[in-house]
Amino acid sequence: MNNIFIIGVGLIGGSFALDIKELYPECTIHGIDKNDTHLDEAISLKLIDQKSNFEDLKKADLVILAIPVDATLSVLPRVLDHISDETIVFDAGSTKENICVAVKNHPKRRNYLAAHPIAGTEYSGPKAALRNLYRNKTNIICEVEETAFKLQEKALKLFSDLGMRIRYMNPKAHDKHIAYVSHLSHISAFMLGKTVINKEKNERDIFDMAGSGFESTVRLAKSSPAMWAPIFQQNKTNVIETLDEYISNLKHFKTLMEKEDFDAVYNEMKDTNHIKDILNGIQ
Amino acid sequence: MNNIFIIGVGLIGGSFALDIKELYPECTIHGIDKNDTHLDEAISLKLIDQKSNFEDLKKADLVILAIPVDATLSVLPRVLDHISDETIVFDAGSTKENICVAVKNHPKRRNYLAAHPIAGTEYSGPKAALRNLYRNKTNIICEVEETAFKLQEKALKLFSDLGMRIRYMNPKAHDKHIAYVSHLSHISAFMLGKTVINKEKNERDIFDMAGSGFESTVRLAKSSPAMWAPIFQQNKTNVIETLDEYISNLKHFKTLMEKEDFDAVYNEMKDTNHIKDILNGIQ
């Protein structure tokens, strides 16, 4: 790995850059980003060694795409057009079906690995990059059989060096499950934030009365709309299904309250306490 | 403060006990709890010095009620029946209107201070007690004018020693605002947990794919139903109002997605990002 290209030098790309530079100190990390200020920041933060462009991709050993999922649909084919036969390219997007379809017939399809590292924070941009963001995190790889075996090996070696767990899924299953465990959480947090802000015009009341519980539940409402709007667009059908079920569960809870059936309200919560065991698995 | 009684030796009562013992090492901390196992645990965890009962309350300097809000409605009048004129009693419940009404005409109303320390975790029981849980947290005091001035002073000295900020509100306003910034967060987390558990019968999928975002958003679904069902019951009208608005915001978001209006979806999130500034105030 001599020449590594990071396309999108934000939280996700920048965090890859930090750990990769530590793992392979001799490599050169090239940054590509449509936002030139972010590139300058990435250089001053020592995320990347130098700015680069698509023409230079021919010398790339590895290309990491860490841009919003709508941009990936057009940028990934362009990247594949420019790379050599030995280059491995992976993305880090939160939707996998559309992107796999987009490059299905590309002559360099076998140079691409569809990946989704389950890692991040609610912050974005180069300054949000963190060391060890990927350690002990899951990386979901889709359609692994479509990637050339030798190039898979290169990527898997890197993921292993970064401390990631690998899980293989087909893109359809990925998009369906991730709608539940990730995309829905973001909408629930955004709408919780909206509900409270709309009501509490006088923010001092929120400031004074909100505790760590509210903070934790609404945290994801700080997330980047530029990243999330395209995710919801690409995963529209699954996300709407999760929203239907979430809204229906909320309505049922409300009905139980209206009927004053607080034993049932108790049981709703008791049954869901079981989430403890599941969350213990995550940590 | 020689004799301090904690009624309910769980997370909230136990955390008060820990800090009070450190502040006033000579005091005796008496524990009362309907769960005898919890009392034994509280002794072995050194939260309390000894088990006690209502007859002993006559020697109390301070009584802290930290039990579910439905139990407080019947226990607080009994406590007031037993104390001396010099005793200050405060509760820590998450609803304030019902309890203030319940003791409105009690001859010892002036010995009671209606309090709501905004502090806690998703855990419960004596083992969940934490040192410094109340440091830098807000304590909302309701109807302060109904409490004898000298007894207010005693309580305020304690809150100040514990490092708490004080805010005064009327019980109605408290219950209305807290429905938004606390009660709704709990329902949103419980129903998120329910939605995901119902869908993902195969828990390995949740375990592997869920990241820190889901964990944070669903955290409150670990909370105690015995504590929360009575809160929702007592704050029914306000909580139903917040649920109506939350459900309506979620439906609107879903409609925008169905109409493929992803610019509007983007703006919904952009407008709510403003929660960052509010949360910066909390930390």
Side-chain angles (χ1 to χ4, degrees):
Chain A
M1 297 272 200
N2 297 313
N3 288 294
I4 295 174
F5 285 69
I6 309 276
I7 305 183
V9 294
L11 161 69
I12 297 299
S15 298
F16 270 119
L18 281 172
D19 286 355
I20 288 172
K21 191 69 178 184
E22 191 148 317
L23 286 167
Y24 316 128
E26 306 82 31
C27 77
T28 302
I29 303 209
H30 306 256
I32 297 179
D33 201 300
K34 67 172 186 172
N35 180 334
D36 211 53
T37 313
H38 277 188
L39 283 174
D40 290 334
E41 273 180 39
I43 288 175
S44 68
L45 292 162
K46 296 192 194 303
L47 305 179
I48 60 171
D49 297 306
Q50 56 186 72
K51 298 187 198 185
S52 190
N53 56 57
F54 281 74
E55 312 318 326
D56 280 345
L57 286 171
K58 59 183 175 295
K59 65 180 177 191
D61 296 291
L62 164 67
V63 183
I64 302 176
L65 251 90
I67 56 179
V69 293
D70 54 339
T72 304
L73 291 182
S74 56
V75 172
L76 178 58
R78 273 181 68 203
V79 169
L80 295 178
D81 290 343
H82 283 84
I83 58 171
S84 84
D85 284 344
E86 310 304 318
T87 310
I88 174 74
V89 180
F90 69 84
D91 77 321
S94 192
T95 50
K96 292 269 79 67
E97 195 174 359
N98 281 21
I99 191 64
C100 285
V101 168
V103 294
K104 189 176 167 55
N105 298 313
H106 194 286
K108 286 242 171 61
R109 171 64 186 86
R110 297 184 68 73
N111 294 66
Y112 166 63
L113 186 73
H116 179 197
I118 312 285
T121 72
E122 67 274 32
Y123 303 107
S124 51
K127 289 190 193 107
L130 295 171
R131 279 179 206 282
N132 291 315
L133 178 64
Y134 303 105
R135 186 152 306 276
N136 301 320
K137 303 291 166 55
T138 298
N139 193 356
I140 301 175
I141 293 178
C142 293
E143 303 193 328
V144 67
E145 66 285 357
E146 301 297 325
T147 310
F149 186 68
K150 279 196 177 171
L151 299 176
Q152 283 177 38
E153 275 187 323
K154 265 192 182 178
L156 288 173
K157 168 74 165 61
L158 172 65
F159 298 146
S160 161
D161 289 345
L162 291 167
M164 305 193 85
R165 291 188 300 256
I166 303 299
R167 186 172 155 83
Y168 298 97
M169 285 186 113
N170 70 59
K172 225 184 242 309
H174 168 276
D175 286 9
K176 190 168 183 65
H177 289 299
I178 207 74
Y180 280 91
V181 296
S182 167
H183 302 174
L184 177 60
S185 301
H186 283 78
I187 299 175
S188 100
F190 270 112
M191 291 304 101
L192 177 65
K194 179 181 174 177
T195 305
V196 177
I197 289 174
N198 279 0
K199 195 66 190 184
E200 303 285 354
K201 309 289 181 196
N202 173 359
E203 283 165 25
R204 291 292 305 174
D205 289 330
I206 302 180
F207 169 90
D208 286 342
M209 299 184 73
S212 58
F214 175 67
E215 194 185 345
S216 157
T217 315
V218 84
R219 178 171 70 87
L220 297 179
K222 301 186 210 170
S223 303
S224 158
M227 175 178 163
W228 282 96
I231 290 173
F232 297 140
Q233 184 164 21
Q234 288 193 18
N235 207 17
K236 183 187 145 185
T237 310
N238 289 316
V239 170
I240 286 175
E241 181 190 302
T242 69
L243 272 175
D244 278 334
E245 289 171 28
Y246 186 51
I247 291 168
S248 147
N249 286 328
L250 285 162
K251 279 186 182 166
H252 177 65
F253 193 94
K254 195 188 96 166
T255 304
L256 294 176
M257 284 187 65
E258 284 166 343
K259 291 197 301 188
E260 309 244 349
D261 187 351
F262 288 96
D263 289 339
V265 164
Y266 177 96
N267 288 329
E268 285 279 300
M269 292 188 279
K270 190 80 199 158
D271 293 345
T272 305
N273 271 171
H274 164 56
I275 199 83
K276 276 178 203 168
D277 310 319
I278 297 167
L279 292 174
N280 283 341
I282 298 176
Q283 285 177 315
Chain B
M1 297 272 202
N2 297 313
N3 289 295
I4 294 174
F5 285 69
I6 309 275
I7 305 183
V9 293
L11 161 69
I12 296 300
S15 299
F16 270 118
L18 281 172
D19 286 355
I20 288 173
K21 192 68 179 183
E22 192 148 315
L23 286 167
Y24 316 128
E26 307 82 31
C27 76
T28 302
I29 303 210
H30 307 257
I32 298 179
D33 201 300
K34 66 172 188 173
N35 181 332
D36 210 55
T37 312
H38 276 188
L39 282 174
D40 290 335
E41 272 180 41
I43 287 174
S44 68
L45 292 163
K46 297 190 195 303
L47 305 180
I48 60 172
D49 296 307
Q50 56 187 71
K51 298 187 198 185
S52 192
N53 55 57
F54 280 72
E55 311 316 318
D56 280 345
L57 286 172
K58 59 183 174 293
K59 64 179 178 193
D61 297 289
L62 165 68
V63 183
I64 302 176
L65 251 90
I67 56 180
V69 293
D70 54 339
T72 303
L73 291 183
S74 55
V75 172
L76 177 58
R78 274 182 67 203
V79 169
L80 295 179
D81 290 343
H82 283 83
I83 57 170
S84 83
D85 284 345
E86 309 305 317
T87 311
I88 173 76
V89 181
F90 69 84
D91 77 320
S94 193
T95 50
K96 293 269 80 65
E97 196 175 358
N98 282 21
I99 191 62
C100 286
V101 169
V103 294
K104 189 175 168 52
N105 298 313
H106 194 286
K108 287 244 173 58
R109 171 64 186 87
R110 297 184 70 72
N111 293 68
Y112 166 62
L113 186 72
H116 179 198
I118 311 285
T121 72
E122 66 275 32
Y123 303 108
S124 49
K127 290 192 192 106
L130 296 171
R131 276 178 209 284
N132 290 315
L133 177 64
Y134 302 105
R135 187 153 303 280
N136 301 320
K137 302 290 165 54
T138 298
N139 193 359
I140 300 175
I141 293 178
C142 293
E143 302 192 326
V144 68
E145 66 284 358
E146 301 298 325
T147 309
F149 185 68
K150 279 196 177 169
L151 299 175
Q152 283 178 37
E153 275 187 323
K154 265 192 182 179
L156 288 173
K157 167 73 167 60
L158 173 64
F159 299 147
S160 162
D161 289 346
L162 291 166
M164 306 193 83
R165 287 190 301 254
I166 303 300
R167 186 171 155 81
Y168 299 96
M169 285 186 112
N170 71 60
K172 224 184 243 309
H174 168 277
D175 286 9
K176 191 168 183 67
H177 289 301
I178 207 73
Y180 280 91
V181 295
S182 166
H183 302 174
L184 177 59
S185 300
H186 283 79
I187 299 176
S188 98
F190 270 113
M191 292 303 101
L192 177 65
K194 178 181 175 177
T195 305
V196 176
I197 289 174
N198 278 1
K199 195 66 189 185
E200 303 285 352
K201 309 288 183 198
N202 174 358
E203 284 166 25
R204 292 294 303 174
D205 288 330
I206 301 181
F207 170 89
D208 287 343
M209 298 184 75
S212 57
F214 175 66
E215 194 185 345
S216 158
T217 315
V218 85
R219 178 172 71 85
L220 297 179
K222 301 185 210 170
S223 302
S224 157
M227 175 179 163
W228 282 96
I231 291 173
F232 296 140
Q233 185 164 17
Q234 288 193 18
N235 208 17
K236 185 187 143 185
T237 309
N238 289 316
V239 170
I240 286 175
E241 181 190 301
T242 69
L243 272 174
D244 277 334
E245 289 171 28
Y246 186 50
I247 290 167
S248 148
N249 285 328
L250 285 162
K251 278 186 180 167
H252 177 65
F253 194 94
K254 196 188 96 168
T255 304
L256 294 176
M257 284 187 65
E258 284 167 344
K259 291 197 302 189
E260 309 243 348
D261 188 351
F262 289 96
D263 289 339
V265 164
Y266 176 97
N267 287 330
E268 286 279 301
M269 293 189 279
K270 190 77 198 159
D271 292 344
T272 305
N273 271 171
H274 165 55
I275 199 82
K276 274 179 204 168
D277 309 318
I278 297 168
L279 292 173
N280 282 342
I282 298 177
Q283 283 178 317

